[in-house]
Amino acid sequence: MSTLCKNIKSAGFNQKVWQALKKIPRGRVTTYQELAKHLGRPKAARAVGNALNKNPQAPQAPCHRVVKSDGGLGGYARGAKKKNELLELEGVEVVKGRIEEFEEKIFRFK
DNA sequence: AGACTGACATACC
DNA sequence: CGGTATGCCAGTC
């Protein structure tokens, strides 16, 4: 294929993950599990985390808006601390590594 | 093809 | 409430 296409190749799952990430509105968060569900793999939360970790397009995908389903922050390629910071910048309060009013801030995919 | 790796989740103790 | 154990999944070695 021509030179322009090779970049859009389907890695399948992970590509979808990054795509879905872009839909998360600012000030909201989603969970690895919700994301997995949205992709048709309700039990692939782990795989989702892997996808984000290897995300080759970090700047385009707000990885910091993806957290654990129990309200914990989860991990972040550049450090959980940085993740915490970014979230608060968007208006998401985090206390002791836990999101305040978590259930109300979760963005659920349609 | 088979084993290992991880930014998870749930159950148990 | 915190640590351990088990299950799950896609990607990579």
Side-chain angles (χ1 to χ4, degrees), chain A residues 13 31-45 48:
Chain A
F13 195 74
T31 70
Y32 298 94
Q33 196 169 39
E34 280 296 317
L35 199 41
K37 258 193 241 179
H38 176 64
L39 300 178
R41 290 283 180 284
K43 292 175 187 160
V48 171

Side-chain angles (χ1 to χ4, degrees), chain A residues 12 15 21 24 29 32-33 54 58-59 61 69 77 101 104 108-109:
Chain A
Q15 165 101 30
L21 268 181
I24 306 174
V29 297
Y32 298 94
Q33 196 169 39
K54 296 183 175 177
S69 58
E101 298 177 29
E104 322 224 346
R108 299 189 186 269
F109 294 89

Side-chain angles (χ1 to χ4, degrees), chain A residues 9 17 32 34 37 39 41 44 50 55 58 63 72 79 81 85 97 102 106 110:
Chain A
K9 256 186 27 168
V17 172
Y32 298 94
E34 280 296 317
K37 258 193 241 179
L39 300 178
R41 290 283 180 284
N50 269 341
N55 181 359
C63 324
K81 189 168 178 174
E85 233 178 83
F102 177 54
I106 300 180
K110 171 54 183 39

Side-chain angles (χ1 to χ4, degrees), chain A residues 6-107:
Chain A
K6 63 177 183 177
N7 194 17
I8 308 179
K9 256 186 27 168
S10 63
F13 195 74
N14 59 17
Q15 165 101 30
K16 278 183 167 184
V17 172
W18 308 323
Q19 198 62 9
L21 268 181
K22 300 178 189 171
K23 298 181 183 177
I24 306 174
R26 178 180 169 291
R28 289 296 193 97
V29 297
T30 193
T31 70
Y32 298 94
Q33 196 169 39
E34 280 296 317
L35 199 41
K37 258 193 241 179
H38 176 64
L39 300 178
R41 290 283 180 284
K43 292 175 187 160
R46 214 168 202 177
V48 171
N50 269 341
L52 296 183
N53 183 23
K54 296 183 175 177
N55 181 359
Q57 322 199 332
Q60 291 181 50
C63 324
H64 61 277
R65 293 182 191 150
V66 185
V67 298
K68 303 220 293 182
S69 58
D70 66 347
L73 288 186
Y76 192 59
R78 305 170 82 199
K81 189 168 178 174
K82 189 72 180 172
K83 185 172 186 175
N84 181 317
E85 233 178 83
L86 286 170
L87 284 173
E88 296 216 331
L89 278 176
E90 296 190 347
V92 179
E93 293 180 60
V94 180
V95 179
K96 288 190 301 208
R98 199 164 179 306
I99 296 182
E100 294 294 300
E101 298 177 29
F102 177 54
E103 289 294 331
E104 322 224 346
K105 307 219 165 159
I106 300 180
F107 169 74

Side-chain angles (χ1 to χ4, degrees), chain A residues 1-8:
Chain A
M1 45 175 73
S2 62
T3 52
L4 289 175
C5 290
K6 63 177 183 177
N7 194 17
I8 308 179

